[in-house]
Amino acid sequence: MEDQVKRNWDQFLELIRKIGGYNEAVALMHWDLRTGAPRKGVELRSETLGMLSTEMFKLSISEEMGNFIEEFSKPEINEQLDQVSRTIVAECKKEYDHNRKIPADKFKEFAVLSAHAQTLWEEAKENSDFVSFEPSLSKLIVLLKEFIGYWGEKDTRYDTLVDQYEPDMTVAKLDAIFSRLRDRLVPLVKKIEASEHKPETAFLDQLFEQEQQEKFGKFILEQMGYDFEAGRLDESVHPFMIGLNPRDVRITTHYLQDDVTSAVFSSLHEGGHALYEQNIDTSLAGTPLATGTSMGIHESQSRLWENMIGRSRAFWERYYVDLQKHFPQQLANVELEDFYRAINRVENSLIRIEADELTYNLHIIIRYEIEKMLFNEGLEVKDLPRVWNEKYEEYLGLTPPNDGVGVLQDVHWSGGDFGYFASYSLGNMYSAQILHTLRKEMPQMDEYIAAGNLAPIKEWLTDKIYRFGKSVTPAELILRVTGEELTPDYLADYLEEKYTEIYKL
Amino acid sequence: MEDQVKRNWDQFLELIRKIGGYNEAVALMHWDLRTGAPRKGVELRSETLGMLSTEMFKLSISEEMGNFIEEFSKPEINEQLDQVSRTIVAECKKEYDHNRKIPADKFKEFAVLSAHAQTLWEEAKENSDFVSFEPSLSKLIVLLKEFIGYWGEKDTRYDTLVDQYEPDMTVAKLDAIFSRLRDRLVPLVKKIEASEHKPETAFLDQLFEQEQQEKFGKFILEQMGYDFEAGRLDESVHPFMIGLNPRDVRITTHYLQDDVTSAVFSSLHEGGHALYEQNIDTSLAGTPLATGTSMGIHESQSRLWENMIGRSRAFWERYYVDLQKHFPQQLANVELEDFYRAINRVENSLIRIEADELTYNLHIIIRYEIEKMLFNEGLEVKDLPRVWNEKYEEYLGLTPPNDGVGVLQDVHWSGGDFGYFASYSLGNMYSAQILHTLRKEMPQMDEYIAAGNLAPIKEWLTDKIYRFGKSVTPAELILRVTGEELTPDYLADYLEEKYTEIYKL
């Protein structure tokens, strides 16, 4: 690299790290707001969040940024950069082009509004009071539609939103993938419904002391290889993972006294997200590549740990004895096999985050369809609870008794995150495809798990996926790791095999 | 106010609130670093803290700020402002003049260094390892001396530092005040040493469950009127209060299993600081006046609640029964009068924050003298442990067995806060003088306290002190509230009266 190019690059990195610094401050404020910030301070805090987000936004679309991008995009300069540096430039350019189109005051309005809406949502959910949340949600959607106008519609308005979370994914592709998946899963669900070999789950309906749940959750996270010296575990209404920097990756969980499995599997889930972020190569720290390559790939890692490892027979062959030790009164007389079958019961239910691996995809399809309606088909916000309830009746045969366990159950919309939900099912599909390869390359995987030796799995995932962060695209990554493009068949195969055995189909 | 002046003023307020926003972000990061941020994330976090501090600093010395100050300082404009607005301008000007003299890279260096040093200090204190902390401390002092050079020495180098925390206070005045106080307190300490009526304290040396300590501490904070919806209570190595905004004022405490009084009185102490910040008039929010007027006045409020109220007989006439309920095994057979005498024992000791009301001032004088030596008399950092230990032997007849309970015991120096310690004794003196007036104006004060009716005291303090924040100077405030300038005599009177009774002198 020429000396002058090197000097410019260092200045460029300084600008990028400054943006990263704002990002860290904003992330800490979000974490704080959701883990115990005092209620009365929220309004002033939201103003501050808006201000910092605006400053970050201004830098990402600054003339200085524009000049650097132009400079490093010149062929004779660009060829002097290594592959990762080129990807950094491309990522900044994408962000620059994307954000340059939004006026700064609109961006600030969005940041303030979404911070405030998240707080209102928490209360609205608590009180099952959709009406108190509706005006904020409406305003967010109006703003997002304006944003789509600024960005330019892709095939449809909703395509523009989907592309944000899963680059190069389209509504047309998703429709095709989801319909293929649906064609294989619906018959499976029907067969399970008709099965006479339903798991017994009554023993799960007991009180499980929170303190013991906390201890067991921490133990499992340690076993997975979550580094508590580079993260921390807290409580929040809705569990989440947030990476402040690659050495400060925090997770939260939510304890239910009458359901020990909820916190266990949400810890495994957020732990999976966190393993991804904690193991990104340090050379990417402070750059826009120090995160997951897409929401779908991120979700594949949470799903892999939560479901494919965390709900496997091998996993509980090793850890059930520990769970029993934490809850002797509740579980001493419950057999491992009964526990394994119970945590894998399939049952149509109301709450997405409590849903089983199989019907989970129906929860996603409902949200995906509603979001399409909101952005492409003129559905009004006031009609959301009705449409939500109708779809739950249609797809899952259930009507929510109130909006707290219905349309208000998820945090996403309060943050303006429309287009995100599809990622969850994409995550399921990616993870099954990755698992297939992992099993091929590590035939003794189940033995490792059953011996509590999870490190080789974490290492394999780090080597194949985690360390690259966002320096490869999701499509490149899945092709490179598995040798194939994304297909829903591995997920369908996995689920058919697993449930055929459990339900003796 | 003319229209144009009004428009300018609004723009000025926007700039000020932006600075306030950075301040809030930086404060949250500091809080986070001390209440559980993951160890491995600290290095990257320190960089971010440095970046945000630098941005804040740049704004406070920006051309834009300079122009506003110049504009609003013009007599024909200034006279259109109300008193509070004029004080805001004056405060910004003081900050501007002060900071304009420090080069931005020096300021950043200081911010990064002090954030890092605080983390090193925590470990050094834990391991009683001064050597690992020495290089950082040396660098901080070298930088501060450079800063003093930029600011310009007042009477002495150390004067320049003292003035930062207590405006218009000088080393000469402090020498005079401390010597007068010493002349009255030393004989009192001697008499107490000679007394045959020493309190029995053996019953305090028991194990007190942390969970119960936490419950009682929260109860007492609620009784004081600390608003938990505008703050939160956490644990940290060294207790502190930090105001993120006037509706988010956080405190921390530190629980010692073998000393129930430590957490109780540190909660009362930090709670006193917090009451001040929580009750500043909302009209000052986001301006530089939304804080205490000086460190000394701030400390007077923590001391008033910790000692003058919290260690009074009336207070425990009401709350001792609650403490007994929290610790029946430990205290059921201990009489109120014995407890009252025990928490007011006078004893020469090693740890400042555990010291009694009387000898506390000797701890301060040691630090005050050492800081003067560091900045005015060429004491080298490597000699600190030796000088510290010699002075403790000389003033208190004790030599610390290790540096963890010696020179490393306080957080202040690791943050570069030299010149601060004097504020603690100033706080004692202010608080005694304020208490004298409070008693005169509220003769039934002790009855209120004994009835658990602390609200009138909080309201009186809010009305006389809290609500004004930094819109009055400490000297103005003490004169306005008490009708007199600061004198150490009220503190001496208070202590003589209290201990004469307790020790039957």
Side-chain angles (χ1 to χ4, degrees):
Chain A
M1 207 189 282
E2 292 164 19
D3 280 359
Q4 185 55 43
V5 176
K6 178 83 179 68
R7 275 194 298 276
N8 284 348
W9 183 259
D10 287 344
Q11 282 175 20
F12 179 48
L13 271 189
E14 202 174 310
L15 174 61
I16 283 174
R17 294 221 169 94
K18 194 166 169 180
I19 293 172
Y22 279 104
N23 202 30
E24 185 170 346
V26 166
L28 180 63
M29 289 198 159
H30 275 297
W31 172 83
D32 184 62
L33 280 172
R34 297 202 239 158
T35 55
R39 194 180 61 77
K40 291 181 185 170
V42 168
E43 202 167 323
L44 286 164
R45 173 64 55 81
S46 301
E47 291 290 330
T48 303
L49 252 178
M51 185 280 283
L52 291 171
S53 301
T54 304
E55 291 304 305
M56 176 164 66
F57 182 76
K58 278 186 193 160
L59 288 178
S60 73
I61 58 165
S62 62
E63 207 183 319
E64 196 188 358
M65 176 61 83
N67 292 340
F68 279 126
I69 290 170
E70 198 189 329
E71 176 72 9
F72 291 116
S73 299
K74 287 179 189 161
E76 71 275 20
I77 309 287
N78 197 264
E79 70 185 8
Q80 294 183 47
L81 305 176
D82 60 25
Q83 183 55 41
V84 166
S85 300
R86 266 183 232 137
T87 310
I88 290 174
V89 174
E91 190 62 27
C92 288
K93 181 168 164 44
K94 191 175 161 188
E95 182 93 354
Y96 180 84
D97 292 342
H98 188 79
N99 288 342
R100 192 76 182 175
K101 295 171 179 166
I102 309 289
D105 59 332
K106 290 283 171 192
F107 186 78
K108 181 169 181 180
E109 195 183 334
F110 182 81
V112 172
L113 193 60
S114 62
H116 193 56
Q118 285 184 48
T119 308
L120 286 177
W121 165 75
E122 284 198 12
E123 284 178 19
K125 180 183 172 180
E126 181 105 10
N127 304 323
S128 287
D129 178 16
F130 183 78
V131 170
S132 70
F133 177 53
E134 189 196 316
S136 294
L137 187 60
S138 296
K139 279 187 216 156
L140 274 173
I141 290 172
V142 168
L143 256 181
L144 276 172
K145 285 182 179 171
E146 256 186 85
F147 282 17
I148 294 169
Y150 287 122
W151 288 321
E153 275 180 45
K154 296 194 181 271
D155 295 349
T156 69
R157 276 212 280 233
Y158 187 47
D159 271 275
T160 307
L161 296 179
V162 167
D163 184 78
Q164 290 190 317
Y165 300 103
E166 202 63 22
D168 307 325
M169 188 53 69
T170 64
V171 171
K173 278 189 204 169
L174 280 176
D175 283 346
I177 286 173
F178 279 143
S179 89
R180 209 162 134 200
L181 187 65
R182 198 189 301 123
D183 288 349
R184 291 194 59 184
L185 296 192
V186 167
L188 181 59
V189 172
K190 296 248 187 260
K191 276 195 226 167
I192 289 171
E193 274 177 356
S195 164
E196 286 174 0
H197 299 279
K198 295 215 164 58
E200 190 55 62
T201 62
F203 59 83
L204 291 177
D205 295 327
Q206 300 183 70
L207 286 186
F208 294 84
E209 307 84 354
Q210 175 162 337
E211 205 183 324
Q212 289 300 95
Q213 289 197 39
E214 287 179 29
K215 278 187 195 157
F216 184 74
K218 272 185 195 160
F219 168 68
I220 289 298
L221 284 164
E222 278 161 5
Q223 290 289 304
M224 290 173 69
Y226 175 77
D227 184 350
F228 275 96
E229 294 201 328
R232 51 179 285 171
L233 174 65
D234 294 86
E235 277 185 75
S236 64
V237 173
H238 185 97
F240 64 93
M241 178 283 302
I242 195 162
L244 307 187
N245 68 50
R247 293 298 168 263
D248 187 350
V249 179
R250 303 181 181 196
I251 53 181
T252 69
T253 192
H254 182 62
Y255 300 99
L256 300 176
Q257 276 232 323
D258 59 354
D259 182 1
V260 71
T261 62
S262 171
V264 170
F265 291 109
S266 85
S267 292
L268 279 157
H269 181 97
E270 304 306 334
H273 281 304
L275 283 193
Y276 194 174
E277 300 259 333
Q278 281 187 336
N279 291 290
I280 291 170
D281 200 280
T282 41
S283 65
L284 301 177
T287 79
L289 308 186
T291 183
T293 181
S294 74
M295 292 304 146
I297 296 292
H298 229 309
E299 205 55 29
S300 78
Q301 295 316 299
S302 54
R303 298 278 146 173
L304 186 72
W305 285 97
E306 177 192 354
N307 291 330
M308 281 139 190
I309 296 170
R311 289 183 207 269
S312 70
R313 185 177 272 114
F315 186 82
W316 292 104
E317 277 170 8
R318 165 64 190 82
Y319 294 109
Y320 185 56
V321 60
D322 286 290
L323 188 67
Q324 284 180 311
K325 271 185 212 150
H326 283 75
F327 299 102
Q329 222 184 323
Q330 294 89 338
L331 297 176
N333 298 320
V334 178
E335 295 295 319
L336 165 62
E337 185 61 20
D338 293 330
F339 179 78
Y340 168 69
R341 285 165 51 83
I343 59 167
N344 283 298
R345 76 182 148 188
V346 171
E347 191 173 39
N348 295 357
S349 67
L350 286 173
I351 305 291
R352 178 182 60 83
I353 59 163
E354 307 285 338
D356 57 77
E357 283 185 80
L358 183 50
T359 60
Y360 191 95
N361 298 289
L362 298 178
H363 290 265
I364 295 308
I365 290 170
I366 289 171
R367 286 155 178 78
Y368 172 74
E369 289 179 356
I370 288 178
E371 291 187 351
K372 268 204 300 184
M373 289 169 77
L374 279 169
F375 285 91
N376 290 352
E377 296 151 31
L379 174 65
E380 288 186 53
V381 172
K382 70 173 168 52
D383 295 326
L384 264 180
R386 182 180 54 75
V387 173
W388 181 281
N389 291 354
E390 285 168 6
K391 286 201 179 281
Y392 263 79
E393 188 57 46
E394 185 185 345
Y395 288 81
L396 289 152
L398 298 164
T399 296
N402 63 60
D403 291 336
V405 295
V407 68
L408 289 170
Q409 70 182 264
D410 296 309
V411 69
H412 306 64
W413 293 346
S414 73
D417 294 333
F418 291 88
Y420 186 111
F421 279 119
S423 311
Y424 292 119
S425 272
L426 288 171
N428 286 338
M429 293 181 265
Y430 285 131
S431 65
Q433 190 161 335
I434 290 164
L435 180 75
H436 181 81
T437 303
L438 173 56
R439 269 190 196 290
K440 250 190 345 203
E441 298 189 6
M442 194 187 289
Q444 67 285 55
M445 188 185 95
D446 281 342
E447 290 156 43
Y448 286 164
I449 295 174
N453 181 16
L454 305 179
I457 297 173
K458 187 188 115 184
E459 279 156 23
W460 188 89
L461 291 166
T462 297
D463 184 53
K464 302 282 183 180
I465 299 171
Y466 298 165
R467 65 191 173 102
F468 300 110
K470 208 174 183 173
S471 67
V472 289
T473 68
E476 277 166 13
L477 187 75
I478 198 73
L479 187 62
R480 195 195 284 180
V481 176
T482 71
E484 284 181 84
E485 286 180 4
L486 176 65
T487 150
D489 290 332
Y490 290 109
L491 179 61
D493 291 347
Y494 159 83
L495 291 170
E496 277 175 8
E497 191 188 338
K498 178 170 185 174
Y499 289 110
T500 297
E501 197 258 1
I502 290 173
Y503 282 86
K504 307 198 203 310
L505 305 178
Chain B
M1 205 189 283
E2 291 165 18
D3 281 359
Q4 185 55 42
V5 175
K6 176 82 179 71
R7 275 194 297 275
N8 283 350
W9 182 258
D10 287 344
Q11 282 174 20
F12 179 47
L13 271 189
E14 203 175 309
L15 174 62
I16 283 174
R17 294 221 169 94
K18 195 166 169 179
I19 294 172
Y22 279 104
N23 203 28
E24 184 170 346
V26 166
L28 181 62
M29 289 198 159
H30 275 297
W31 172 83
D32 186 62
L33 280 172
R34 296 202 240 159
T35 56
R39 192 181 61 78
K40 291 180 184 170
V42 169
E43 201 167 326
L44 286 164
R45 173 64 55 80
S46 301
E47 291 290 329
T48 302
L49 253 177
M51 185 278 284
L52 290 172
S53 302
T54 304
E55 291 303 307
M56 177 164 66
F57 181 76
K58 279 186 193 161
L59 288 179
S60 73
I61 59 164
S62 63
E63 208 183 317
E64 195 188 359
M65 176 61 83
N67 292 340
F68 279 127
I69 290 169
E70 198 188 329
E71 176 71 9
F72 292 116
S73 299
K74 287 179 190 161
E76 70 276 19
I77 308 287
N78 198 264
E79 69 186 9
Q80 295 182 47
L81 304 177
D82 60 24
Q83 184 53 43
V84 167
S85 301
R86 264 183 234 138
T87 310
I88 290 174
V89 174
E91 189 61 27
C92 287
K93 181 166 163 46
K94 191 175 161 188
E95 182 91 354
Y96 180 85
D97 291 343
H98 188 79
N99 287 342
R100 192 77 181 174
K101 294 172 180 167
I102 309 291
D105 59 331
K106 290 284 171 192
F107 186 78
K108 181 171 180 178
E109 195 182 335
F110 181 80
V112 172
L113 193 60
S114 62
H116 193 58
Q118 284 184 49
T119 308
L120 286 176
W121 165 76
E122 285 197 11
E123 284 178 20
K125 181 183 173 180
E126 180 104 11
N127 304 323
S128 287
D129 177 16
F130 183 77
V131 171
S132 68
F133 176 54
E134 189 197 316
S136 295
L137 186 60
S138 295
K139 281 186 214 155
L140 274 172
I141 290 172
V142 168
L143 256 180
L144 277 172
K145 285 182 180 170
E146 256 186 87
F147 282 16
I148 295 168
Y150 288 121
W151 289 321
E153 276 181 44
K154 295 193 182 272
D155 294 349
T156 70
R157 275 211 281 232
Y158 187 47
D159 270 275
T160 307
L161 296 179
V162 167
D163 184 78
Q164 289 190 316
Y165 301 102
E166 202 64 21
D168 307 325
M169 188 53 69
T170 64
V171 171
K173 278 190 205 171
L174 280 177
D175 283 347
I177 286 172
F178 279 142
S179 90
R180 207 160 136 203
L181 188 65
R182 198 190 302 122
D183 288 350
R184 291 195 56 186
L185 297 192
V186 168
L188 181 59
V189 172
K190 296 246 186 262
K191 274 196 226 167
I192 288 170
E193 275 177 354
S195 164
E196 285 174 2
H197 299 278
K198 295 215 164 60
E200 187 58 58
T201 61
F203 59 84
L204 290 177
D205 295 326
Q206 300 183 70
L207 285 186
F208 294 84
E209 307 84 354
Q210 175 162 336
E211 205 183 323
Q212 289 300 94
Q213 289 197 40
E214 286 179 32
K215 279 187 195 157
F216 184 73
K218 274 186 193 160
F219 168 68
I220 288 297
L221 284 163
E222 279 162 4
Q223 291 289 306
M224 289 172 69
Y226 175 77
D227 184 350
F228 275 96
E229 294 201 328
R232 52 179 285 171
L233 174 65
D234 294 88
E235 277 184 75
S236 65
V237 173
H238 186 96
F240 65 92
M241 179 283 301
I242 194 162
L244 307 187
N245 68 51
R247 295 298 168 262
D248 187 352
V249 179
R250 304 181 180 194
I251 53 182
T252 68
T253 191
H254 182 62
Y255 301 99
L256 300 177
Q257 277 232 323
D258 58 355
D259 181 1
V260 72
T261 62
S262 171
V264 170
F265 291 109
S266 86
S267 292
L268 279 157
H269 181 97
E270 303 306 334
H273 281 305
L275 283 192
Y276 194 174
E277 299 260 334
Q278 282 187 334
N279 292 289
I280 291 170
D281 200 281
T282 42
S283 66
L284 301 177
T287 79
L289 308 187
T291 184
T293 183
S294 74
M295 292 304 144
I297 296 291
H298 229 310
E299 205 56 29
S300 78
Q301 294 315 300
S302 54
R303 298 279 147 172
L304 186 73
W305 285 97
E306 177 192 354
N307 290 330
M308 280 140 190
I309 296 170
R311 289 183 208 267
S312 71
R313 185 177 271 114
F315 187 82
W316 292 103
E317 277 171 8
R318 166 63 192 83
Y319 294 110
Y320 185 55
V321 61
D322 286 288
L323 188 69
Q324 283 180 312
K325 271 185 209 149
H326 283 76
F327 299 102
Q329 224 185 321
Q330 294 88 340
L331 297 177
N333 298 319
V334 177
E335 295 296 320
L336 165 62
E337 185 60 21
D338 293 331
F339 180 78
Y340 169 70
R341 287 167 48 86
I343 60 169
N344 283 297
R345 77 183 147 185
V346 171
E347 191 173 40
N348 295 357
S349 67
L350 286 173
I351 306 291
R352 177 183 58 84
I353 60 165
E354 308 285 338
D356 58 76
E357 283 184 80
L358 182 51
T359 60
Y360 191 94
N361 298 288
L362 298 178
H363 290 265
I364 296 308
I365 290 169
I366 288 172
R367 286 155 179 79
Y368 171 75
E369 289 180 355
I370 288 178
E371 290 187 352
K372 269 204 299 184
M373 289 168 77
L374 279 169
F375 285 91
N376 290 352
E377 295 152 31
L379 174 64
E380 288 186 52
V381 172
K382 70 173 169 53
D383 296 325
L384 265 179
R386 182 182 52 79
V387 174
W388 180 282
N389 291 354
E390 285 170 4
K391 286 202 178 281
Y392 263 79
E393 189 57 47
E394 185 185 346
Y395 288 81
L396 290 152
L398 299 163
T399 296
N402 63 60
D403 291 336
V405 295
V407 70
L408 289 171
Q409 69 182 264
D410 296 308
V411 70
H412 305 64
W413 292 346
S414 73
D417 295 334
F418 291 87
Y420 186 112
F421 279 118
S423 311
Y424 293 118
S425 272
L426 288 171
N428 287 338
M429 293 180 265
Y430 285 131
S431 65
Q433 190 162 333
I434 290 165
L435 180 75
H436 181 81
T437 303
L438 172 57
R439 268 190 196 289
K440 248 189 346 202
E441 297 190 7
M442 195 186 290
Q444 68 284 59
M445 189 184 93
D446 280 342
E447 290 156 43
Y448 286 163
I449 295 174
N453 181 16
L454 305 179
I457 298 173
K458 187 188 115 185
E459 279 156 24
W460 188 90
L461 292 166
T462 298
D463 183 53
K464 303 282 183 180
I465 300 171
Y466 298 166
R467 64 190 174 104
F468 299 109
K470 208 174 183 172
S471 67
V472 290
T473 68
E476 277 166 13
L477 188 75
I478 198 72
L479 187 61
R480 195 195 284 179
V481 175
T482 72
E484 284 180 84
E485 286 181 6
L486 176 66
T487 149
D489 289 332
Y490 290 108
L491 179 62
D493 290 347
Y494 158 83
L495 292 169
E496 277 175 5
E497 190 187 338
K498 178 170 184 171
Y499 290 109
T500 296
E501 197 259 1
I502 291 172
Y503 281 86
K504 308 197 201 308
L505 304 179

